[in-house]
């Protein structure tokens, strides 16, 4: 186990040169202090949580100190935002401090979000606020605990630095970990600025660093695109199966690794609503829950467009066509497991879709339904959840068909199997808001407690029943602002 000053650096992306990023130093926060840290994220870097000193975290990630081996860079990229191309975006408030590798040889980016102005700040102040930093920290670690691929969050640093959004708030930073911060928009930038040599250099870097198996294929660039399609099909299936809404699926927020990335106004579904919009700026519902599948497909097509000078168009189309069937296969597999089904039958998709229609009509709590369905033998469990539905006749028919379907399944261990995939605790927006309200008053205990509960989402924890309940009416379907 290591201390923070013993990390091993290997700044591969910085070595690509100034065309890809700009050297920028972080701007220090006033009176930095540790708000919350993740032991699980520390373990990814072989850090010893027992040796983690709050003042060291505050100084390093509050912008006051830097490793000698660090080489902070603001990365350049572009992207399609709400369907419209923006020619230059880039790290406007974040810095890739450097890349480190652990004892297993895994490389991790250290990315400091809220580090101050860069050449890509676009009239912004380059800061992040405490509320958005806490939300991303909680979401990153909660998704990882659910088994959903995500960037990770090492810590949040609060401060006395004033930051103006809709009102005056306090600045904060978040130290984000990922194997790469290259995104779809990184490829788009070099394609649309007509820099083919630099685009190929970036593609070669991504393959060498993150997809070396593609070098064994006859067409490595095509193999890369196909791999990105496959990873994103599985990711979106997990989002949909667990009711996660990203909120801003712009191409600059899509990772080439197929991980959940760049959190903004995200939400987990409370009551099931296929049309739920979690971003109050999304007036047309482009990024509604039900649209996440077609939008992911659209974003992948935008990535494919950026590769047309490296791969034949028809080959790109064929690879892109894999997305929907792969998504459907992953999604149905997950939903079968959530329903306690370990075998596949032809009518399973219809059974799932009928259930979701009934849940929509009755505004049934999405994740709690599945948990309660598995906590007792099926006939008793159906009776327990029945009162949540409006169309009782429809639910009774569905329950009859569900019982017939599981009759061929092994009843032994059903509860354990279902509890292993159906979380008792999810990051509801109202829980995050309560923790944020306390943190903004200087009390970080609720943020830390909520983080610890969400670190074990499938396991019932003594004294934590309040975190497993349905939200109050004020806490349902909260729409969150992009501003941070």
């Amino acid at each position: 186990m290591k201390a923070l000053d013993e990390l091993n650096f290997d700044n591969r992306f910085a070595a690509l040169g100034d065309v890809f990023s700009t050297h920028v130093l972080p701007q220090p926060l006033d009176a930095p202090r540790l708000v919350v840290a993740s032991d699980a994220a520390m373990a990814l870097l072989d850090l010893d949580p027992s040796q983690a000193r709050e003042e060291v975290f505050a100084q390093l990630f509050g912008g006051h100190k830097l490793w000698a081996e660090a080489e902070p860079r603001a990365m350049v990229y572009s992207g399609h935002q709400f369907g419209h191309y923006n020619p230059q975006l880039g790290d406007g408030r974040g810095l890739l401090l450097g890349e480190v590798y652990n004892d297993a040889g895994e490389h991790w980016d250290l990315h400091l979000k809220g580090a101050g102005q860069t050449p890509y700040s676009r009239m912004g102040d380059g800061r992040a606020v405490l509320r958005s930093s806490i939300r991303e920290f909680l979401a990153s670690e909660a998704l990882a605990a659910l088994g959903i691929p995500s960037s990770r969050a090492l810590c949040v640093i609060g401060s006395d630095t004033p930051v103006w959004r809709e009102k005056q708030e306090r600045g904060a930073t978040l130290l984000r970990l990922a194997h790469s911060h290259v995104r779809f928009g990184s490829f788009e930038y070099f394609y649309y600025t007509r820099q083919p040599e630099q685009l190929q250099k970036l593609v070669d870097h991504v393959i060498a660093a993150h997809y070396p198996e593609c070098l064994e294929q006859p067409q490595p660039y095509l193999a890369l695109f196909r791999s990105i399609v496959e990873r994103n099909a599985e990711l979106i299936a997990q989002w949909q199966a667990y009711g996660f809404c990203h909120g801003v699926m712009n191409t600059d927020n899509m990772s080439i690794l197929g991980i959940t990335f760049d959190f903004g106004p995200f939400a987990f579904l409370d009551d099931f609503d296929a049309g739920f919009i979690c971003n109050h700026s999304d007036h047309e519902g482009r990024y509604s829950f039900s649209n996440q599948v077609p939008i992911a497909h659209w974003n992948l097509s935008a990535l494919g467009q950026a590769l047309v000078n490296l791969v034949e168009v028809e080959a790109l189309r064929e690879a892109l066509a894999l997305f929907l069937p792969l998504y459907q296969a992953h999604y149905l597999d997950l939903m079968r497991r959530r329903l306690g089904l370990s075998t596949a039958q032809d009518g399973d998709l219809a059974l799932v879709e009928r259930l979701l229609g009934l849940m929509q009509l009755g505004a049934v709590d999405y994740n709690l339904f599945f948990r309660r369905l598995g906590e007792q033998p099926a006939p008793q469990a159906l009776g327990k959840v029945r009162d949540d539905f409006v169309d009782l006749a429809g639910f009774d028919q569905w329950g009859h068909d569900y019982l017939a379907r599981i009759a061929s399944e092994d009843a032994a261990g059903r509860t354990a199997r279902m509890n292993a995939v159906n979380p008792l605790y999810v990051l509801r927006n109202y829980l995050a808001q309560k923790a944020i309200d306390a943190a903004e008053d200087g009390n970080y205990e609720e943020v830390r407690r909520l983080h610890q509960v969400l670190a074990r989402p499938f396991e019932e924890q003594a004294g934590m029943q309040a975190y497993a309940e349905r939200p109050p009416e004020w806490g349902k379907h909260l729409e969150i602002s992009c501003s941070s």
Side-chain angles (χ1 to χ4, degrees):
M1 302 297 281
K2 298 183 176 71
L4 267 172
D5 60 357
E6 297 175 323
L7 296 176
N8 301 310
F9 280 81
D10 181 15
N11 300 317
R12 300 174 300 178
F13 190 85
L16 293 176
D18 293 341
V19 175
F20 298 88
S21 62
T22 303
H23 178 75
V24 183
L25 291 174
Q27 297 171 6
L29 292 170
D30 300 329
R33 51 202 174 257
L34 180 65
V35 174
V36 62
S38 169
D39 290 357
M42 284 188 236
L44 299 174
L45 307 181
D46 300 325
L47 294 175
D48 185 353
S50 68
Q51 300 300 313
R53 302 203 315 274
E54 293 195 6
E55 63 273 18
V56 175
F57 274 76
Q59 290 295 306
L60 269 174
F61 304 128
H64 289 261
K65 291 185 178 181
L66 205 59
W67 295 270
E69 303 90 339
E71 191 174 347
R73 312 286 297 193
M75 301 168 69
V76 65
Y77 47 84
S78 61
H80 282 84
Q81 299 184 307
F82 288 87
H84 303 286
Y85 183 68
N86 190 325
Q88 182 170 302
L89 297 169
D91 287 335
R93 57 178 174 149
L95 293 176
L96 175 59
L97 297 181
E99 298 172 66
V100 302
Y101 58 92
N102 61 20
D103 291 344
E106 299 170 329
H107 280 70
W108 289 95
D109 286 0
L110 305 182
H111 189 275
L112 190 64
K113 200 166 181 179
Q117 288 184 318
T118 78
Y120 314 113
S121 294
R122 305 186 300 282
M123 305 298 291
D125 57 19
R127 291 300 189 189
V129 295
L130 184 62
R131 58 180 165 85
S132 65
S133 302
I134 288 173
R135 281 175 54 80
E136 177 161 346
F137 175 90
L138 292 172
S140 304
E141 295 306 284
L143 285 169
L146 288 170
I148 299 175
S150 174
S151 59
R152 302 298 298 271
L154 187 75
C155 65
V156 172
I157 304 298
S159 80
D160 290 340
T161 300
V163 175
W164 285 95
R165 295 298 181 258
E166 287 89 353
K167 61 180 182 179
Q168 182 173 311
E169 302 183 55
R170 280 178 286 187
T173 55
L174 172 114
L175 197 284
R176 180 168 63 187
L177 306 179
H179 293 304
S180 174
H181 278 70
V182 175
R183 48 200 84 213
F184 291 11
S186 304
F187 293 135
E188 289 184 289
Y189 174 76
F190 292 106
Y191 172 72
Y192 286 107
T193 54
R194 299 183 181 181
Q195 301 183 66
E197 294 87 359
Q198 305 302 340
L199 175 59
Q200 185 167 354
K201 186 175 180 179
L202 179 63
V203 173
D204 288 341
H205 164 79
V206 167
I207 290 176
H210 309 294
Y211 291 92
E213 67 277 7
C214 291
L215 293 172
E216 302 172 3
Q217 299 300 314
Q219 300 182 61
Y221 299 151
L222 174 59
L224 171 66
F225 181 65
R226 185 185 298 116
S227 296
I228 295 172
V229 169
E230 292 170 352
R231 288 197 187 188
N232 278 276
E234 185 170 4
L235 173 68
I236 303 303
Q238 290 171 293
W239 285 5
Q240 299 303 113
Y242 281 97
F244 178 76
C245 313
H246 185 278
V248 193
M249 291 176 64
N250 298 329
T251 58
D252 56 293
N253 294 337
M254 299 291 290
S255 164
I256 50 92
L257 298 181
I259 63 174
T260 314
F261 194 62
D262 268 6
F263 294 86
F266 69 85
F268 278 91
L269 291 178
D270 292 320
D271 298 342
F272 181 78
D273 178 7
F276 177 54
I277 302 166
C278 63
N279 179 356
H280 81 170
S281 301
D282 187 5
H283 304 298
E284 298 180 359
R286 176 180 177 85
Y287 299 137
S288 67
F289 178 66
S290 61
N291 272 355
Q292 292 187 136
V293 179
I295 288 297
H297 184 271
W298 192 96
N299 288 342
L300 286 162
S301 71
L303 174 61
Q305 179 65 42
L307 299 175
V308 293
N309 294 324
L310 296 174
V311 184
E312 292 182 358
V313 171
E314 190 55 39
L316 290 168
R317 287 175 178 157
E318 290 175 0
L320 183 61
L322 297 172
F323 173 79
L324 192 56
L326 284 172
Y327 160 78
Q328 290 173 331
H330 286 302
Y331 174 75
L332 186 53
D333 176 66
L334 286 166
M335 295 304 289
R336 283 190 179 109
R337 286 192 278 157
R338 297 207 73 178
L339 287 169
L341 307 176
S342 55
T343 61
Q345 293 187 15
D346 290 341
D348 290 346
L349 181 59
L351 190 71
V352 170
E353 290 176 341
R354 284 169 55 203
L355 172 63
L356 296 181
L358 291 163
M359 294 176 80
Q360 175 97 30
L361 186 64
V364 175
D365 189 283
Y366 183 66
N367 279 297
L368 276 185
F369 169 82
F370 291 101
R371 182 72 180 200
R372 290 171 176 168
L373 187 65
E375 287 181 333
Q376 294 177 290
Q380 292 93 314
L382 288 169
K384 183 177 180 180
V385 301
R386 181 178 185 270
D387 289 344
D388 289 338
F389 289 80
V390 171
D391 181 0
L392 294 180
F395 180 74
D396 289 342
Q397 183 59 57
W398 183 88
H400 175 272
D401 296 341
Y402 174 68
L403 289 175
R405 172 65 181 85
I406 65 172
S408 59
E409 299 282 343
D410 183 6
R414 174 178 176 272
T415 293
R417 289 198 309 273
M418 292 183 69
N419 283 356
V421 295
N422 292 323
L424 181 60
Y425 310 102
V426 293
L427 179 57
R428 299 179 185 271
N429 267 340
Y430 91 99
L431 292 174
Q433 190 59 51
K434 289 172 66 176
I436 289 166
D437 290 344
E440 289 181 333
D441 287 336
N443 182 352
Y444 306 142
E445 289 308 309
E446 183 58 24
V447 172
R448 296 174 181 181
R449 184 183 302 111
L450 180 56
H451 164 54
Q452 292 301 320
V453 170
L454 296 171
R456 294 182 288 147
F458 304 106
E459 176 184 335
E460 186 168 358
Q461 299 169 46
M464 299 301 170
Q465 177 58 33
Y467 296 94
E469 295 174 351
R470 294 189 67 163
E473 285 303 317
W474 69 264
K476 292 183 178 181
H477 304 301
L478 293 175
E479 291 185 358
I480 305 299
S481 166
C482 278
S483 70
S484 57

